[in-house]
Amino acid sequence: MTDVGGTPVLREPANRVSPQAIPFWTVSALVGDAVLVIGAALVWWLVPGVPGWAGLVVLLLALVAVAHVVLMPRIRYRVHRWEVTDTAVHTREGWIGRQTRIAPISRVQTVDSRQGAVMRLFGLASITVTTASAAGPITVDCLDADTARDVVARLTAITAATEDDAT
């Protein structure tokens, strides 16, 4: 793909993560933020000598936490994309900053899948593609569990058929 001047233009990866990522990220953020806000509130209420204005800090922290729980999952869902082709693995992720990673298939060393307990409740899994790269592995979070299994199988087949090694 090129623009008008002939300069190559990188297109976004073709696939979205599972729609179940939104409730998964919401629950994950809610649990983490609740622990933080409740902990701060307990310190404010129970520790002697904490100034009264600390209550405003706790309130502000709670408002930021609510915004985080409501906005972050939806933004992440719109941004997170992935694609596996016969030549490369391409991902884009982030919700404040953006990171795009492309790894040629010839650089793939291992393909792993992960499915924690909460991910299982939402029918999700993540895959990690380890490459011969100093930037580290590429992770695709929150795929439908069946899709993740298919992607792992496909990547395994593609890399097995690739003549170059990943060293």
Side-chain angles (χ1 to χ4, degrees):
M1 194 182 272
T2 59
D3 68 5
V4 177
T7 305
V9 175
L10 181 63
R11 66 172 176 78
E12 66 183 22
N15 306 305
R16 287 191 185 273
V17 297
S18 170
Q20 284 297 103
I22 295 172
F24 170 74
W25 286 325
T26 301
V27 167
S28 298
L30 184 62
V31 169
D33 291 355
V35 168
L36 181 66
V37 171
I38 290 169
L42 288 174
V43 168
W44 176 59
W45 286 326
L46 300 176
V47 175
V50 174
W53 56 262
L56 291 175
V57 173
V58 172
L59 178 62
L60 180 62
L61 184 61
L63 293 174
V64 169
V66 167
H68 177 246
V69 168
V70 170
L71 297 175
M72 177 274 296
R74 287 151 186 81
I75 295 169
R76 275 182 86 175
Y77 180 73
R78 283 198 321 245
V79 172
H80 281 227
R81 290 184 170 275
W82 65 276
E83 184 174 4
V84 173
T85 67
D86 290 343
T87 58
V89 177
H90 184 187
T91 63
R92 184 182 71 187
E93 64 183 17
W95 71 280
I96 293 176
R98 303 287 188 271
Q99 180 180 18
T100 298
R101 299 275 311 271
I102 301 172
I105 291 295
S106 63
R107 305 285 287 175
V108 173
Q109 294 177 325
T110 62
V111 181
D112 302 304
S113 63
R114 178 178 48 85
Q115 188 180 40
V118 179
M119 289 183 101
R120 260 194 318 277
L121 290 173
F122 289 94
L124 299 172
S126 293
I127 62 168
T128 301
V129 179
T130 305
T131 64
S133 167
I138 293 176
T139 300
V140 183
D141 286 322
C142 295
L143 295 177
D144 174 78
D146 292 333
T147 301
R149 278 189 291 278
D150 292 345
V151 170
V152 169
R154 181 167 181 232
L155 275 169
T156 301
I158 292 170
T159 56
T162 303
E163 293 182 17
D164 299 333
D165 72 6
T167 57

